[in-house]
């Protein structure tokens, strides 16, 4: 998806969470489809509400009414729990 994003950047919105110039989280949404191809929170900053905040900020930039987190590792229980908590199926 990185190639897709760099080839058509106008289709995406990228948001970063920073603390004193340190990147804590990053999310990218294709605002016309609601696809989120990139979503990451620094491992030491997880479970502090940053992921939920970042997800809601991405949602605000979504024009489709549907949100899909794509490329999810189905063996990662932590991300599956997070997605479930957000109410995404």
């Amino acid at each position: 998806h990185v190639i897709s994003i760099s080839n058509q950047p106008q289709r995406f919105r990228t948001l970063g969470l920073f603390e004193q110039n340190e990147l804590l989280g990053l999310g990218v949404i294709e605002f016309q489809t609601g696809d989120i191809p990139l979503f990451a929170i620094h491992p030491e900053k997880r479970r502090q509400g940053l992921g939920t905040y970042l997800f809601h900020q991405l949602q605000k930039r979504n024009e489709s009414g549907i949100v899909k987190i794509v490329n999810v590792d189905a063996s990662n229980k932590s991300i599956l729990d997070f997605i479930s908590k957000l109410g995404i199926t």
Side-chain angles (χ1 to χ4, degrees), residues 1-12 14 28 37-38:
H1 281 282
V2 173
I3 293 171
S4 299
I5 294 167
S6 63
N7 286 340
Q8 296 182 325
Q10 70 279 7
R11 291 177 40 207
F12 298 90
T14 302
V28 176
L38 179 63

Side-chain angles (χ1 to χ4, degrees), residues 3-29:
I3 293 171
S4 299
I5 294 167
S6 63
N7 286 340
Q8 296 182 325
Q10 70 279 7
R11 291 177 40 207
F12 298 90
R13 298 294 179 263
T14 302
L15 298 177
L17 297 176
F18 293 87
E19 181 177 70
Q20 298 178 357
N21 294 324
E22 179 185 359
L23 181 63
L24 305 180
L26 180 67
V28 176
I29 188 166

Side-chain angles (χ1 to χ4, degrees), residues 2-89:
V2 173
I3 293 171
S4 299
I5 294 167
S6 63
N7 286 340
Q8 296 182 325
Q10 70 279 7
R11 291 177 40 207
F12 298 90
R13 298 294 179 263
T14 302
L15 298 177
L17 297 176
F18 293 87
E19 181 177 70
Q20 298 178 357
N21 294 324
E22 179 185 359
L23 181 63
L24 305 180
L26 180 67
V28 176
I29 188 166
E30 186 174 356
F31 63 92
Q32 293 176 329
T33 66
D35 287 359
I36 298 176
L38 179 63
F39 189 90
I41 300 295
H42 190 287
E44 294 176 8
K45 299 296 182 175
R46 293 179 184 159
R47 302 194 184 278
Q48 297 177 29
L50 295 176
T52 301
Y53 176 79
L54 180 58
F55 177 80
H56 289 304
Q57 292 304 310
L58 290 170
Q59 241 183 343
K60 288 180 183 180
R61 287 145 179 90
N62 179 14
E63 296 177 358
S64 75
I66 299 169
V67 174
K68 296 172 277 181
I69 300 177
V70 296
N71 297 327
V72 174
D73 178 1
S75 67
N76 185 331
K77 184 176 177 345
S78 175
I79 190 66
L80 296 176
D81 290 346
F82 176 70
I83 290 170
S84 177
K85 180 182 130 190
L86 294 172
I88 299 172
T89 55

